[in-house]
Amino acid sequence: MNAAAEDFAQALVDLARDTLKDLQQRGVEDRRITLDSTLDHDLGLDSLARVELFTRIERRFGVRLPESLLGNAGTLRDIASALSGAPSAVQTAPRARPEAARVKGEAAAPPAHIATLDRLLAWRREQQPDFPQITIHGEGADEPITYEQLWREARRIAGGLQRRGVRLGDAVALMLPTGRDYFRTFFGVLLAGAAPVPLYPPTRMSQIEEHVRRHAGILKNADTTLLVTTAEMRSVAAVLRAHASSLRRIVSSRELCASEAAPIEVALNPGSTALLQYTSGSTGQPKGVVLSHGNVLANLSALGAAVQLRSDDVFVSWLPLYHDMGLIGAWLGTLYFGLPLVIMSPLSFLTRPVRWLEAIHRYRGTLSAAPNFAYELCLKRVTDEELIGVDLSSWRIAMNGAEPVMPDTLLRFRDRFAKYGFRSSALTPVYGLAECSVGLTVPPMQREPLIDSIERERFMQDGVAASAGPQAVNPLRFASCGFPIAGHHVRIVDDSGRELGERREGRLEFRGPSTTRGYFNNAEATRKLFRDGWLDSGDRAYIAHGELYPTGRIKDIIIRAGRHIYPEELEASIGAIDGIRRGCVAVFGSLDAASGTERVIVLAETRAAEAAQRDVLRQAVVDSVVKLIGEPPDEVVLAPPHTVLKTSSGKIRRAASRAVYESGRSLSTHQPSTAAQVLHLTFCAAGASLQRCARRLTELMYGTYLWALFAILVGLAFLLLLPPLGQAAAWSICHHAARLFVRLAGVSFRVEGLEHVRPTIARLLVANHASYLDGVVLLAALRDPCRFVAKRELKRIPVVGLLLRRLNSVFVERFDARVSAQDAQHLAEIAQAGASCILFPEGTFTRAPGLMPFHLGAFAAAVHAGLTLAPIAIRGTRALLQDEQRLPRRAPIVVEIGPTLVAAADVDAFSAAVKLRDEARRWILARCGEPDLLGGVHA
């Protein structure tokens, strides 16, 4: 080697060593590093650390390395070889002139009869055959794919699959990189009547063993008969075939297309399986989420409404297509609404994050999504020089999901990229999971991220998310992920399944049309997934003002750069190392603010005391982890016996071990004996259990007391109303009974704006409807007689019907349009006779918070009768007694009565009714404390 080559090699080695120092790896000074040092085993670099090293190399030597090198390089020598052929200077990426904007308007959803994904593609192809729905953005020329091309090529693949024995209901695995083959094969599988099973392709040869082990488990579980892959991956696929007995054939997309066999038409329905989305597999028991066509389409429809998609939207994505956010959220979502998708390889983003931002600039991207770590990567790896000429002003929705959202990342991303046109209102933390297709909650659009600061100690001890004051020291902060999408509901429950109240942390459960029916070929896991019709998300969260704040995972799954890592198998493998105490290993994740993702920490007990022996053990632990997951742990802590915390039954307490680690307390000193730890933990658990029991008992007693009080007062009013009385006397009895109920219930009750209703003036009173107690609350609030407008079904309920009849209520039909129109006419006649009426224009209510659309009938009656109208905003009754909630909970109630509204005189009757309705609804929405569920359509 000549002097220049030696200097170059030494510079590369020194750069690698400096990188390891900055990554705070131990023993770097004494480690021997050469060009033949492997990036995985010798240097201990995971995916994100590789990105850091590559970025430094490019800046140090003034070169651009090929994307593929990030995954393929095994040693420093591989990088040196690539450097010898790389360009000599960094070239700033060309800034393409933004394309002409598309026509702005509401995004067009498919008609209601399109109920499956195959029919969706067929319909889009009929409507716009030449529309380039997908643009594959790579290092070379962009590759567009039109609806016609996708349909035609998918049909050829479907025929090829059927010719090779694929039948209706079969599972077909896809191990393909982002590209044309993936898109056409996915729909080819659907057109053949089968269910796609997305697998992620191996990116490095060092990960082959981990890939084979994981994917073999998936293939076995899914009873997969055929695997579609590339020619380059056939060797890996062949090994898979040896480990998965059900796998009979391995083919490439090109081979399937070459057969040119016409597909046999199959009949799919909304309940047919659209895909199996595997959420794990590294534990040896992979779980495949069964998603039907109906699930996926329902989720896409609701998500599109939640983010207010427009016809001029452009989605830019680098997300992998084996992940639900990339597959369903980005691709199928844009296909559903007929929007263009610009997609690049995940490696393209990881090797040079600025490419993501450049693509948004070039294509005037309005939508994009990524896990939290991606935003951190942009903050750390993208330089101002690279951003010269980049304009991010078109980016209106930047979704952050798939892993915990860090408030600090949101704020720093906002501040850093504001000068490049990025708007803070674009930042959109979202929550979703494969079991709900992809998305579950979304915040209001065009709103800056809502970050909740809460008292740390109270939250950690009692699970109460109490708001922290501005002077609070070291508060916990969580980002709101918004409200449930249309048709979906969430709730927070304790471990026994009892629903918790506002700002109480617990298990997050949900239900809705996007919900999976379970895990494929896994009855036991499916049974544990559901409780009383609700699906357990596996996450913890709390709700404040109707918005969801996820706080962490119930199970100890580690999410690292969007990838799930499970500790059990790592613990077992590490425990088998000679010198490590078997059964005394804890593996857990620890959030790292610097990288925006989780670090993998290994805590292992050993009796070894000599430094050299401990170094050997530490390296053995790293090798074991790399062998299983393809990446090294971030830190290995070797501790003396009795350090790892366990339950009284011997189970590893990973969360408790993580808490000790994150507190900064030493994990290398002698810990109390197992018996002492068990005694201490039992004592603490007993204390917490007693507190929970006391709280539950208090709430049970209060709820029981309130129902008993309600029953007594209703019974008393019922007896007093048995004799024939006038409406004024009946109202007075009910009013005082309701006031007494509110007073004895011990809740804060406030009425504002009573001056806006006078007994001498007949008018319509319209109120929002959130609880069964709304009528009682209005009785308590209003002193002067009014007539309730109630649904006709209530008339037949014995006690309730009598009370309503004594109050001279008006009963109306909800379901028969003809009768309902007659009722509106009747209501107008009653009002003209001088009686004030109370009604709920929403018609009904649901357990989910939100103001629903208002029916027009009452407002038409007001216009017809020439009446004034007073809006009433009720706040707090949903928290007091939510739909499907058995026991009431203490909550403050406010009733605010608005000023008189008068119908417009300069328009026709129908237009006047619409304007009156909209004005009343706007007033109530601003004061009821609930989100707007209008969605742009009035009932």
Side-chain angles (χ1 to χ4, degrees), residues 649-661:
S649 61
K651 295 180 180 179
I652 303 297
R653 298 183 65 219
R654 300 182 190 91
S657 298
R658 177 175 60 238
V660 174
Y661 170 83

Side-chain angles (χ1 to χ4, degrees), residues 430-507:
V430 295
Y431 174 80
L433 62 169
E435 287 83 353
C436 189
S437 298
V438 61
L440 178 57
T441 67
V442 176
M445 294 298 100
Q446 304 307 309
R447 183 191 77 178
E448 293 196 7
L450 184 60
I451 297 173
D452 193 23
S453 294
I454 63 174
E455 296 177 7
R456 179 181 295 272
E457 289 302 317
R458 189 174 180 190
F459 183 78
M460 294 179 68
Q461 291 182 8
D462 302 326
V464 177
S467 296
Q471 305 304 319
V473 178
N474 194 25
L476 276 172
R477 296 193 303 168
F478 295 105
S480 165
C481 289
F483 301 97
I485 57 177
H488 296 70
H489 308 280
V490 299
R491 69 175 186 178
I492 308 299
V493 301
D494 60 18
D495 290 338
S496 64
R498 179 183 170 279
E499 190 166 355
L500 299 174
E502 183 94 346
R503 289 191 170 276
R504 291 287 304 280
E505 191 209 25
R507 304 171 74 98

Side-chain angles (χ1 to χ4, degrees), residues 86-121:
S88 60
V90 176
Q91 299 294 324
T92 303
R95 310 301 183 193
R97 179 176 296 178
E99 297 177 356
R102 303 170 73 212
V103 178
K104 182 177 178 180
E106 186 178 349
H113 70 272
I114 303 298
T116 60
L117 289 170
D118 60 315
R119 290 295 91 202
L120 172 63
L121 177 58

Side-chain angles (χ1 to χ4, degrees), residues 416-437:
R416 166 76 193 284
F417 293 99
K419 60 184 176 181
Y420 301 103
F422 184 78
R423 298 187 299 274
S424 58
S425 60
L427 288 168
T428 309
V430 295
Y431 174 80
L433 62 169
E435 287 83 353
C436 189
S437 298

Side-chain angles (χ1 to χ4, degrees), residues 171-493:
V172 175
L174 278 60
M175 192 167 69
L176 297 164
T178 297
R180 192 182 199 97
D181 282 350
Y182 191 100
F183 296 112
R184 64 185 184 178
T185 303
F186 184 90
F187 265 102
V189 174
L190 290 177
L191 292 175
V197 182
L199 304 176
Y200 66 86
T203 55
R204 299 198 297 270
M205 291 305 295
S206 62
Q207 292 181 318
I208 293 302
E209 187 175 351
E210 186 269 335
H211 275 271
V212 169
R213 178 188 50 77
R214 179 185 188 275
H215 291 347
I218 291 176
L219 295 173
K220 290 177 184 177
N221 178 260
D223 292 331
T224 306
T225 60
L226 187 143
L227 170 67
V228 184
T229 188
T230 63
E232 295 78 12
M233 297 180 191
R234 271 192 178 275
S235 58
V236 179
V239 179
L240 273 175
R241 185 176 181 182
H243 289 78
S245 56
S246 64
L247 188 59
R248 299 194 302 269
R249 289 178 178 270
I250 300 171
V251 297
S252 69
S253 175
R254 292 184 181 181
E255 290 172 335
L256 293 172
C257 273
S259 65
E260 298 188 1
I264 302 169
E265 299 294 333
V266 294
L268 300 177
N269 59 65
S272 300
T273 300
L275 74 150
L276 299 179
Q277 184 70 47
Y278 276 82
T279 60
S280 69
S282 57
T283 62
Q285 294 180 334
K287 293 182 293 184
V289 178
V290 180
L291 295 176
S292 69
H293 290 264
N295 292 150
V296 174
L297 294 181
N299 199 256
L300 296 178
S301 175
L303 280 175
V307 301
Q308 301 171 9
L309 287 181
R310 307 185 315 217
S311 59
D312 63 334
D313 277 326
V314 177
F315 202 123
V316 175
S317 177
W318 56 266
L319 295 169
L321 293 169
Y322 54 79
H323 190 279
D324 50 19
M325 183 181 273
L327 172 62
I328 302 175
W331 178 33
L332 297 181
T334 53
L335 178 69
Y336 183 86
F337 285 99
L339 304 175
L341 170 69
V342 177
I343 191 164
M344 66 182 76
S345 163
L347 277 178
S348 180
F349 164 74
L350 290 173
T351 53
R352 197 165 294 111
V354 72
R355 287 174 175 155
W356 182 27
L357 308 182
E358 288 174 344
I360 291 172
H361 160 86
R362 174 179 177 180
Y363 293 96
R364 308 313 297 149
T366 60
L367 313 172
S368 198
N372 193 84
F373 90 90
Y375 294 93
E376 278 290 342
L377 210 57
C378 288
L379 287 167
K380 297 182 67 175
R381 305 287 183 263
V382 178
T383 66
D384 288 339
E385 290 76 14
E386 290 177 310
L387 289 169
I388 294 174
V390 169
D391 176 15
L392 301 178
S393 61
S394 65
W395 197 359
R396 70 180 189 91
I397 302 177
M399 287 172 277
N400 185 329
E403 67 178 10
V405 178
M406 299 186 69
D408 186 57
T409 301
L410 299 174
L411 299 178
R412 289 189 294 114
F413 192 90
R414 173 198 65 187
D415 296 340
R416 166 76 193 284
F417 293 99
K419 60 184 176 181
Y420 301 103
F422 184 78
R423 298 187 299 274
S424 58
S425 60
L427 288 168
T428 309
V430 295
Y431 174 80
L433 62 169
E435 287 83 353
C436 189
S437 298
V438 61
L440 178 57
T441 67
V442 176
M445 294 298 100
Q446 304 307 309
R447 183 191 77 178
E448 293 196 7
L450 184 60
I451 297 173
D452 193 23
S453 294
I454 63 174
E455 296 177 7
R456 179 181 295 272
E457 289 302 317
R458 189 174 180 190
F459 183 78
M460 294 179 68
Q461 291 182 8
D462 302 326
V464 177
S467 296
Q471 305 304 319
V473 178
N474 194 25
L476 276 172
R477 296 193 303 168
F478 295 105
S480 165
C481 289
F483 301 97
I485 57 177
H488 296 70
H489 308 280
V490 299
R491 69 175 186 178
I492 308 299
V493 301

